[in-house]
Amino acid sequence: MTTQATTPTPPPTSPSGGAAPDASVDPVWWGWGAAAEHHPLPAAVHDLLALLGIPTRPSPPVALADITLPPVRLPGQVLDELRAVVGAAQVRDDREARIRHCRGRSTVDLLRLRSGDASDAPDAVVAPLDHDQVLAVLGICSRHRVVVVPFGGGTSVVGGLTPRLPSGQAPDGTPRRPGVIALDLHRLDRLLRVDQLSGTAVLGAGLRGPAAEALLAEHGLTLGHVPQSWEYATIGGFAATRSSGQASAGYGRFDQLVTGLRLATPVGTWQPGRGPASAAGPDLRQLALGSEGAFGVITEVTARVRPAPARRRYEGWRVTDLATGLDLLRELAQRDLLPTVLRLSDELETAAGLANAVTAGTDTTAGTDTTAGVAAGAAAGGGSGGVDGSAGGCYLVGGYEGNEDEVTGRAAEVRAVLLGAGAHPLGEDVGQGWAAGRFHAPYLRDALLDEGIFAETLETAAYWAAIPTLYAAVRAAVTGAIESDGSPAVVLCHVSHVYPAGASLYFTVVCAEGPDPISRWDRAKRAAGDAIMANGGTITHHHAVGTDHRPWMSAEVGEVGVAVLRAVKTALDPAGILNPGVLVPPLSE
Amino acid sequence: MTTQATTPTPPPTSPSGGAAPDASVDPVWWGWGAAAEHHPLPAAVHDLLALLGIPTRPSPPVALADITLPPVRLPGQVLDELRAVVGAAQVRDDREARIRHCRGRSTVDLLRLRSGDASDAPDAVVAPLDHDQVLAVLGICSRHRVVVVPFGGGTSVVGGLTPRLPSGQAPDGTPRRPGVIALDLHRLDRLLRVDQLSGTAVLGAGLRGPAAEALLAEHGLTLGHVPQSWEYATIGGFAATRSSGQASAGYGRFDQLVTGLRLATPVGTWQPGRGPASAAGPDLRQLALGSEGAFGVITEVTARVRPAPARRRYEGWRVTDLATGLDLLRELAQRDLLPTVLRLSDELETAAGLANAVTAGTDTTAGTDTTAGVAAGAAAGGGSGGVDGSAGGCYLVGGYEGNEDEVTGRAAEVRAVLLGAGAHPLGEDVGQGWAAGRFHAPYLRDALLDEGIFAETLETAAYWAAIPTLYAAVRAAVTGAIESDGSPAVVLCHVSHVYPAGASLYFTVVCAEGPDPISRWDRAKRAAGDAIMANGGTITHHHAVGTDHRPWMSAEVGEVGVAVLRAVKTALDPAGILNPGVLVPPLSE
């Protein structure tokens, strides 16, 4: 009943059942995903932005050759030791490799890179083959005090790939920056074991979403974990950042799917999790999940898998307003009647989504996890009456996956609740439209950046009782911070993850870049984070801490919680080489 | 929507819908529960045990006055400081208080106490009123290096209340045992907040199961957490030991219900958990859950609550054999079709349960979480053909709780699966019989001990693929270890907790006490633990680590896992006063 499964990766399949973009292609260095998926911003969106007073300006990225890179600071001896472990070809310090592993994919990361700033690039990129090679690399780096940045899909949007480097001194007393390697895990790409009876699979940490699903599909199985970054993010990244996934209502968050992990740490191998449940002390799996490369390098993940769904059905609905929609989501969660996917856009995002469909001529996108429809949303938010968003209300998408009976049965149960609350069915086309566009938003962000428009997201979660005030407070804080210099901002929101006790809120923010977009966003982000903490939210529901959320970690987990994280970090990484300053606030903060 | 709820505790209600024993009465010092619940072992059971060659002999406990107690070793200054914090009446060092707080309720604990050995008794019992008093007590004890044993219901069956005392020296160099206090949390007995909208409640850690349910019932709510120890165990104990509860299939384990905790630690207050879900680093709630008083003292728990069920229905079924039953349980779990309660007895426990009903004249007890039916089980296991266990097969109990529609709907779904697999319905009487007897087993154990019969339980969990070999290996190990001196053993088993990826196994062991029952059990327990670890099980699924399971902790969580636990312990309890040696293996082990 346990089979070894090591066949090569077949072409990826899409969780929406159709063809997926070819995620085996390297993403573009200046933005998201494959070059072929990029298109210019539609002219109609230009017009709408102009109506809102959000000026566009051509802002192409610099040429690759014009990017400034710091010199490689790793001693030759270290490079030689690393080559001896992973092979010479798997230690790269060429320009392109370094630039491709410089930071993650937050909008600020992209702005820096597009402007030619690769000052955070690693000195070398090291690609181990397996767990034992990772252990050996950590040994070398611990001895030489070389910083290690675990690199999966490179899709962090919270500065998770930009550690704060410890200061050091050269023998002559001058400050010295330590060497940094990006530990690229893409070669840990095997489906190591399948246990059909127990419904579990052991997956290599470097498997991207499509490759993992393709390997599982050969066994008739699925993880069902589909975050917006699915095309490029990896199994190890899902675990390290507590990814929630667009289908969390049905399949659970990734941290709920994981039954075991294997990590390489500087002090040895750590394998938390011996089975489905235990009372043998604290659940150490939940300490490794969310550890963001600061405690060790996740090399393998044992996760629950399910039969691949025979049927997928996505439906759109309209409810009268956000408050009605929130009540519905809460009722479904508390009555254990959740669909597989459940999303609710606020009034403005609803208008933006529909407006985008009208202006951009695409299938629409209610509750897209992103910036999709954002430019048009700006227009709708500004009150331009020409878009169909005038129908008002809030879009809700319910997705159902399973066998025919399960899909039909649950959809009928949910339908009864929705109709009982006065929701209006919009049919499967609207739902399928969401599914078809579920990965598009980051590409649209690149098109906006090309035109000098800043778009970014932030997210939180809270108990149901706190949601309305939290929603209002974050909207007000972000809008106020951006508009303080007279430049209009558009802030959209949706709920994409619901629990019996509460829900997430996902905000999309769009504004002109202006003369200093990074400072402007920094101001907005700080205002949003403070509003979140003051109103009962968590600083991040599914994007992780990285360096961007570290300033709020003491408020989030308390001083005692920070002391616990520091103690674990010190026990596992005594030399402090693993992603320093990510996740765990330094003592000086 | 958030209400303050501080009304006094009304009479307890039973989760089976009937009247519960009065758990506000102090338990007897020599055994389990209230004196009124105890009855002599039925004569028929005597006869059956004789048939099996398991000799009985009257073995009453010594008189309270004959118990040997060590002198109180706490300096008067420490007692005075403690009295200044909690009040003079709440610091007790009288005989009865010390004996009542000596160890927990494992069979070995009871054997020691019944023989007059209270050598592990604390020097004093301190009962703080609230979180701040707990903090202050920890401060005093840290300064004076006084060991603190957090005490909730006192129902640990794994040595969780018997710390390993650090060795010390008096000024003259002679060894000195440190002082020990039991920190009795029964005064932390308030329902602190109810959030009806979010479906959460904040409960004082010292609330026993019935009192917590009674307070929640005033709001129309329930926790739904009902371990066998429910009558006496506390909210804080459920959290500290990762209690699973007999209704885990429907309500979830206690660690799944908890959304937040408040702990007093020697370094300050720790409050992990800000809402329903977060990606702000590791889930520190899961580090506090299962911390067994070694990291801090849990003073408040925020947990999910649900509407109190309008309807409860329990049904009995018979399946042909254990393998068929396991397949059914797995199918129900993996198809998300679980009842609220789901239990499956192996063939021998099935025969024992029915035999017990016949011989003892009570409603029966398929899958009782315990020693119920154990004496008769011994007979059935020995092949005495006169009992109705000859019908063969395995009992399965399915319990359904909720509103009328939910109960009817889920029961019908499960019924279809069970009938499809050839299961035979036994009706609600058998199910209700289980529910009526769900808390009885520990009382029966006392009756067996009175007759010189040893009865104890142990439990584990594993992935489904490992369950058959694990089951066989543990049975063989325990039976072999006990019967190695020629004395027959009866080993029964049931599955009481199921998950998509695996299930628990709960073994009940009965044998004659013989000349040295503690050594005999020690041998059996060691054999069982080794068999569990060698066959993919966890050393404990819901009884916690305590001191009894500590020898397997390195195998369970690995050396790196142990290092993590030690690091957390040192960060939170630098003086090492909190339950030393419980949960975390000492460096010398």
Side-chain angles (χ1 to χ4, degrees):
Chain A
M1 48 197 76
T2 297
T3 56
Q4 291 289 328
T6 56
T7 38
T9 307
T13 54
S14 160
S16 53
D22 185 0
S24 65
V25 175
D26 273 340
V28 295
W29 69 263
W30 46 266
W32 186 266
E37 298 294 317
H38 285 84
H39 305 286
L41 202 63
V45 178
H46 273 286
D47 296 344
L48 289 167
L49 289 166
L51 258 177
L52 273 169
I54 299 182
T56 63
R57 63 173 189 220
S59 302
V62 301
L64 187 63
D66 292 335
I67 292 180
T68 309
L69 267 176
V72 173
R73 292 176 178 89
L74 277 179
Q77 185 201 340
V78 174
L79 291 170
D80 287 344
E81 288 186 35
L82 292 169
R83 289 187 187 108
V85 168
V86 300
Q90 303 301 337
V91 178
R92 291 180 58 182
D93 59 1
D94 57 281
R95 277 180 64 79
E96 184 168 343
R98 294 177 66 202
I99 290 169
R100 284 190 174 281
H101 293 79
C102 179
R103 310 191 190 99
R105 286 297 178 261
S106 74
T107 303
V108 168
D109 288 342
L110 295 182
L111 284 171
R112 288 206 170 110
L113 208 52
R114 293 166 63 101
S115 74
D117 168 10
S119 55
D120 293 315
D123 298 293
V125 179
V126 178
L129 179 64
D130 56 22
H131 177 86
D132 288 345
Q133 287 194 359
V134 176
L135 273 180
V137 168
L138 295 183
I140 293 167
C141 293
S142 288
R143 278 198 302 283
H144 294 288
R145 295 292 193 276
V146 172
V147 166
V148 176
V149 182
F151 192 101
T155 57
S156 170
V157 291
V158 293
L161 304 172
T162 319
R164 171 166 154 167
L165 300 181
S167 55
Q169 286 191 332
D172 65 358
T174 56
R176 188 170 63 180
R177 170 187 173 282
V180 177
I181 65 164
L183 192 70
D184 190 317
L185 300 162
H186 74 275
R187 296 170 73 206
L188 282 71
D189 64 351
R190 292 168 61 200
L191 173 57
L192 296 149
R193 281 186 298 283
V194 172
D195 178 349
Q196 287 273 7
L197 195 73
S198 309
T200 60
V202 184
L203 295 148
L207 279 165
R208 285 180 179 163
E213 287 293 344
L215 288 169
L216 289 169
E218 294 176 27
H219 299 263
L221 298 169
T222 186
L223 262 179
H225 185 73
V226 190
Q228 191 185 55
S229 58
W230 176 78
E231 295 170 317
Y232 293 94
T234 59
I235 294 293
F238 298 158
T241 61
R242 294 188 165 269
S243 172
S244 54
Q246 292 172 341
S248 67
Y251 293 95
R253 297 168 59 86
F254 201 70
D255 49 34
Q256 296 173 312
L257 297 180
V258 173
T259 60
L261 302 105
R262 192 173 191 210
L263 294 93
T265 84
V267 298
T269 296
W270 183 27
Q271 291 191 242
R274 270 185 77 82
S278 173
D283 187 347
L284 297 179
R285 298 176 295 200
Q286 299 292 332
L287 198 54
L289 291 160
S291 60
E292 303 189 24
F295 293 171
V297 179
I298 296 167
T299 60
E300 296 172 15
V301 173
T302 306
R304 181 180 178 193
V305 289
R306 294 171 165 91
R311 173 93 164 89
R312 289 185 173 89
R313 170 172 166 173
Y314 306 101
E315 299 175 344
W317 292 78
R318 189 195 298 269
V319 298
T320 48
D321 53 29
L322 183 63
T324 303
L326 288 171
D327 281 346
L328 270 169
L329 266 49
R330 182 170 51 79
E331 179 179 354
L332 292 172
Q334 292 180 345
R335 288 180 57 192
D336 287 329
L337 285 180
L338 286 174
T340 310
V341 171
L342 184 60
R343 311 171 64 84
L344 171 71
S345 294
D346 72 356
E347 288 84 351
L348 190 53
E349 187 175 276
T350 297
L354 199 44
N356 189 49
V358 172
T359 56
T362 64
D363 281 344
T364 199
T365 56
T368 304
D369 199 356
T370 71
T371 50
V374 145
S384 90
V387 297
D388 200 17
S390 59
C394 290
Y395 274 145
L396 184 153
V397 171
Y400 306 87
E401 301 182 6
N403 64 36
E404 191 66 42
D405 284 353
E406 288 164 345
V407 166
T408 308
R410 181 50 57 96
E413 291 174 308
V414 173
R415 185 180 186 85
V417 174
L418 292 174
L419 289 175
H424 176 70
L426 299 173
E428 291 194 45
D429 283 353
V430 169
Q432 293 294 349
W434 169 78
R438 64 197 299 180
F439 306 126
H440 286 184
Y443 299 100
L444 179 59
R445 177 180 59 170
D446 286 336
L448 289 163
L449 288 175
D450 283 342
E451 302 295 337
I453 303 296
F454 182 97
E456 186 53 294
T457 64
L458 57 86
E459 35 79 65
T460 181
Y463 291 118
W464 288 111
I467 289 285
T469 49
L470 179 63
Y471 168 79
V474 175
R475 268 189 60 86
V478 172
T479 306
I482 291 179
E483 296 191 345
S484 64
D485 62 8
S487 173
V490 177
V491 181
L492 318 175
C493 185
H494 65 257
V495 178
S496 47
H497 306 275
V498 298
Y499 307 93
S504 70
L505 293 175
Y506 190 100
F507 296 90
T508 301
V509 184
V510 178
C511 61
E513 284 186 8
D516 186 357
I518 293 179
S519 292
R520 176 180 279 176
W521 177 246
D522 185 52
R523 209 162 59 231
K525 178 77 178 175
R526 273 189 283 123
D530 292 347
I532 285 169
M533 298 317 289
N535 288 279
T538 175
I539 195 63
T540 174
H541 167 266
H542 60 269
H543 281 170
V545 177
T547 46
D548 292 0
H549 291 139
R550 208 187 51 202
W552 292 277
M553 274 302 274
S554 293
E556 173 84 24
V557 305
E559 288 307 324
V560 174
V562 169
V564 167
L565 294 175
R566 277 200 195 109
V568 174
K569 166 91 174 159
T570 304
L572 296 177
D573 176 25
I577 59 163
L578 284 170
N579 248 359
V582 167
L583 175 61
V584 186
L587 274 170
S588 58
E589 200 159 84
Chain B
M1 49 199 72
T2 297
T3 57
Q4 291 289 327
T6 56
T7 37
T9 307
T13 55
S14 161
S16 52
D22 184 359
S24 64
V25 175
D26 272 342
V28 295
W29 67 263
W30 45 265
W32 186 265
E37 298 294 317
H38 286 83
H39 306 286
L41 203 62
V45 179
H46 274 284
D47 296 344
L48 289 168
L49 289 166
L51 259 177
L52 272 170
I54 299 181
T56 62
R57 63 173 190 221
S59 303
V62 302
L64 187 63
D66 293 335
I67 292 179
T68 308
L69 266 177
V72 173
R73 293 177 179 87
L74 277 179
Q77 185 200 340
V78 173
L79 292 170
D80 286 345
E81 287 186 36
L82 292 169
R83 289 186 188 109
V85 168
V86 300
Q90 302 301 338
V91 179
R92 290 180 60 181
D93 59 1
D94 57 279
R95 277 181 64 80
E96 182 166 344
R98 293 178 66 203
I99 291 169
R100 285 189 174 282
H101 293 80
C102 179
R103 310 190 190 100
R105 286 297 178 264
S106 73
T107 302
V108 168
D109 287 342
L110 295 182
L111 284 170
R112 289 206 171 110
L113 208 51
R114 293 166 63 100
S115 73
D117 169 8
S119 56
D120 293 315
D123 297 293
V125 179
V126 178
L129 178 66
D130 56 22
H131 178 88
D132 288 345
Q133 288 194 358
V134 176
L135 271 181
V137 168
L138 295 183
I140 292 166
C141 293
S142 289
R143 277 198 304 282
H144 295 287
R145 295 292 193 277
V146 172
V147 166
V148 176
V149 182
F151 192 100
T155 58
S156 172
V157 290
V158 292
L161 303 173
T162 320
R164 170 167 156 168
L165 300 180
S167 55
Q169 289 192 331
D172 64 359
T174 55
R176 188 172 62 177
R177 169 187 174 284
V180 178
I181 65 163
L183 192 69
D184 190 318
L185 299 163
H186 75 275
R187 296 170 74 207
L188 281 72
D189 63 351
R190 292 168 61 201
L191 172 57
L192 296 149
R193 281 185 297 283
V194 172
D195 177 348
Q196 288 272 6
L197 195 72
S198 308
T200 60
V202 184
L203 296 147
L207 278 166
R208 285 180 178 164
E213 286 294 343
L215 287 169
L216 288 170
E218 293 175 29
H219 299 264
L221 299 169
T222 185
L223 262 179
H225 185 74
V226 191
Q228 191 185 57
S229 59
W230 177 78
E231 294 170 317
Y232 292 94
T234 59
I235 294 294
F238 298 157
T241 61
R242 294 187 164 269
S243 172
S244 54
Q246 293 171 341
S248 66
Y251 293 96
R253 298 166 59 85
F254 200 70
D255 49 34
Q256 295 172 311
L257 298 180
V258 172
T259 60
L261 303 103
R262 192 173 191 209
L263 294 93
T265 84
V267 298
T269 295
W270 183 27
Q271 292 191 243
R274 270 185 78 81
S278 173
D283 187 348
L284 297 179
R285 296 176 297 200
Q286 299 293 332
L287 198 55
L289 291 160
S291 60
E292 303 189 23
F295 292 170
V297 179
I298 297 167
T299 59
E300 296 173 15
V301 173
T302 306
R304 180 180 179 193
V305 289
R306 293 169 166 92
R311 173 94 164 89
R312 289 185 172 90
R313 171 172 167 173
Y314 306 101
E315 299 175 346
W317 292 78
R318 188 195 299 268
V319 297
T320 48
D321 52 29
L322 183 63
T324 303
L326 288 171
D327 281 345
L328 270 169
L329 265 48
R330 183 171 50 78
E331 180 180 354
L332 292 172
Q334 291 180 346
R335 289 179 57 192
D336 287 330
L337 285 180
L338 287 173
T340 310
V341 172
L342 184 60
R343 311 169 64 84
L344 171 71
S345 294
D346 72 357
E347 288 85 350
L348 191 54
E349 186 174 278
T350 298
L354 199 44
N356 189 49
V358 172
T359 57
T362 63
D363 281 342
T364 199
T365 55
T368 304
D369 198 356
T370 71
T371 51
V374 145
S384 89
V387 294
D388 198 17
S390 60
C394 290
Y395 275 145
L396 184 153
V397 171
Y400 307 86
E401 301 183 6
N403 63 37
E404 192 65 43
D405 285 352
E406 289 165 344
V407 166
T408 308
R410 181 49 59 96
E413 291 174 307
V414 174
R415 186 180 186 85
V417 175
L418 292 173
L419 289 175
H424 177 71
L426 300 173
E428 290 193 47
D429 282 355
V430 169
Q432 293 294 348
W434 168 79
R438 66 196 297 179
F439 306 126
H440 286 183
Y443 299 99
L444 179 60
R445 177 179 60 169
D446 287 336
L448 289 163
L449 289 174
D450 282 342
E451 302 296 336
I453 304 295
F454 182 96
E456 185 52 293
T457 65
L458 56 86
E459 35 80 62
T460 180
Y463 291 118
W464 289 111
I467 289 284
T469 50
L470 178 63
Y471 169 79
V474 175
R475 270 189 59 87
V478 172
T479 307
I482 291 178
E483 296 190 346
S484 64
D485 62 7
S487 172
V490 177
V491 181
L492 318 176
C493 186
H494 65 257
V495 178
S496 47
H497 305 276
V498 298
Y499 307 93
S504 69
L505 293 174
Y506 190 100
F507 296 91
T508 301
V509 184
V510 179
C511 61
E513 285 185 9
D516 186 357
I518 293 179
S519 293
R520 176 179 281 175
W521 176 245
D522 186 51
R523 208 161 59 230
K525 178 76 178 174
R526 271 188 286 121
D530 292 347
I532 285 170
M533 297 317 289
N535 288 278
T538 174
I539 195 61
T540 174
H541 168 266
H542 61 268
H543 281 170
V545 178
T547 47
D548 292 0
H549 291 141
R550 208 187 49 203
W552 291 277
M553 273 302 273
S554 293
E556 173 85 25
V557 305
E559 288 307 324
V560 175
V562 169
V564 168
L565 294 175
R566 276 200 196 109
V568 174
K569 166 90 173 159
T570 304
L572 296 177
D573 176 25
I577 59 163
L578 283 170
N579 248 359
V582 167
L583 174 62
V584 185
L587 273 172
S588 58
E589 200 159 83

